[in-house]
Amino acid sequence: MRTKKRFAQHWLSNDKIIADIIEAAELSHDSLQSEAIANSRVLEIGPGTGILTRQLLPKAQSVVAVEIDRDLCKKLVKKLGQIENFLLLQGDILSLDLDSLLARAPAIFQQPNKVVANIPYNITGPILEKLLGKISMPAAVPYDLIVLMVQKEVGDRLYASPGSRAFGALSVRVQYLASCELICDVPANCFYPKPKVDSAVVRLRPRPIERPADDPRKLEQLVKLGFSSKRKMLHNNLKGLKERDRLTQILEQLDINPQARAEDLGVAQWVALSNALA
Ligand code: SAH
């Protein structure tokens, strides 16, 4: 099967990884099987040749797949079109109005509660925002869980702990909205054609925000500014906001070392700092 570069197509071809993804999606537990199935309406982004789709279908109540490539859609319809709990939408996941399209579909396809996808890496950021929302506008109806194949480097950021090198603005933005964990690392040779980068499967669980910022838009801007120059100390990145001594004082009041760098602050500290700077 030929691939189109502009759609970032790399076919997953490793049964063990596929099994790990399916397991991470918590579709069926032994004793709870029927209940778990009734509870899994899956959204898949970029089904490609359907390798993952095929395994999801028997374990989920329904699978809605969104694929941009018309040629692939034709093939998918031939392969999987007869399966009752499968709905294929041709289009761009970023511009498609999923809610209104699904409102007209049979009930089993409405309001998918899980996302399972090996996504096109060139639009990872926008996909994350589409699925989770953003600090200033979290998703109105959050998914129960989201299992994604991402570029390893991005995965590292998603589940990074504060203080580690990988902890960046993306870590704060995503961890504000969801808890994140690594499911498995995926070497580049698990795909055909082999991509230049390694991958990782991550699981995100959107959750109620423990302590929302007083002004979420302010927090969003603060995080952007705080990480604007990673090598600098945080107070240097923030010096436009407050006079230097005042900023040091605020950091000390929050028990944040005035020498700290942006990556040293966990989500709760970002929230506290945003509130204190108001
Ligand atoms: N899930 C498959 C394919 C992954 S490759 C597998 O694991 O083998 C990424 C897939 O996303 C491709 O099928 C590509 O055509 C599709 N894609 C790329 N951009 C897209 C977009 N904006 N909206 C929906 N699908 C897209």
Side-chain angles (χ1 to χ4, degrees):
M1 178 79 200
R2 291 190 45 201
T3 54
K4 293 176 188 155
K5 257 212 169 120
R6 69 180 185 286
F7 293 146
Q9 295 175 343
H10 297 274
W11 313 137
L12 183 58
S13 60
N14 181 298
D15 291 341
K16 167 76 174 72
I17 304 292
I18 294 171
D20 286 351
I21 294 174
I22 300 285
E23 194 189 325
E26 298 178 351
L27 299 172
S28 47
H29 298 282
D30 297 336
S31 57
L32 290 170
Q33 188 145 356
S34 51
E35 194 180 314
I37 286 180
N39 238 333
S40 294
R41 296 174 308 284
V42 175
L43 168 67
E44 187 187 2
I45 301 162
T49 58
I51 189 151
L52 195 57
T53 324
R54 213 183 258 288
Q55 306 254 354
L56 286 166
L57 281 164
K59 299 200 169 71
Q61 189 190 7
S62 63
V63 176
V64 173
V66 179
E67 172 58 62
I68 200 169
D69 184 334
R70 285 175 196 279
D71 297 326
L72 282 175
C73 284
K74 283 185 205 148
K75 296 204 164 86
L76 283 166
V77 167
K78 267 191 207 148
K79 273 194 221 170
L80 307 173
Q82 299 299 315
I83 301 177
E84 263 179 25
N85 62 340
F86 179 54
L87 180 69
L88 178 64
L89 301 172
Q90 191 271 319
D92 179 346
I93 185 65
L94 298 180
S95 55
L96 210 75
D97 184 352
L98 206 55
D99 288 342
S100 58
L101 282 171
L102 294 181
R104 281 177 261 139
I108 53 163
F109 298 112
Q110 283 172 31
Q111 296 241 343
N113 64 332
K114 294 182 180 180
V115 180
V116 183
N118 172 11
I119 58 174
Y121 294 172
N122 56 338
I123 51 170
T124 302
I127 288 178
L128 283 170
E129 190 172 318
K130 174 115 187 172
L131 299 178
L132 295 169
K134 51 183 178 177
I135 290 176
S136 57
M137 204 196 287
V141 186
Y143 292 100
D144 293 339
L145 68 81
I146 301 173
V147 178
L148 295 182
M149 175 83 75
V150 294
Q151 187 175 330
K152 173 73 184 144
E153 252 188 339
V154 175
D156 284 346
R157 293 193 178 285
L158 296 180
Y159 54 80
S161 313
S164 69
R165 280 186 69 98
F167 195 81
L170 180 68
S171 320
V172 180
R173 293 204 304 265
V174 169
Q175 291 177 17
Y176 183 78
L177 302 167
S179 61
C180 311
E181 60 189 314
L182 171 68
I183 299 297
C184 59
D185 284 320
V186 185
N189 63 16
C190 292
F191 298 89
Y192 181 84
K194 185 177 159 185
K196 290 202 188 80
V197 295
D198 287 328
S199 297
V201 177
V202 296
R203 178 166 56 200
L204 311 178
R205 286 183 205 275
R207 51 167 156 63
I209 299 157
E210 288 149 34
R211 265 189 255 150
D214 296 340
D215 182 347
R217 256 188 305 174
K218 221 175 194 140
L219 172 60
E220 216 162 56
Q221 288 159 2
L222 177 69
V223 170
K224 191 169 170 195
L225 190 64
F227 282 97
S228 54
S229 173
K230 260 207 109 171
R231 276 161 309 159
K232 285 193 195 161
M233 282 183 280
L234 178 63
H235 74 81
N236 276 324
N237 283 335
L238 300 184
K239 68 179 168 211
L241 293 181
K242 285 266 187 281
E243 192 221 323
R244 193 192 164 97
D245 289 348
R246 179 70 189 121
L247 197 57
T248 307
Q249 198 184 15
I250 290 175
L251 290 171
E252 278 172 348
Q253 277 166 1
L254 296 174
D255 254 339
I256 298 170
N257 181 346
Q259 314 287 315
R261 291 170 200 281
E263 69 261 34
D264 296 327
L265 275 59
V267 172
Q269 284 174 310
W270 281 105
V271 173
L273 183 57
S274 166
N275 293 346
L277 285 169

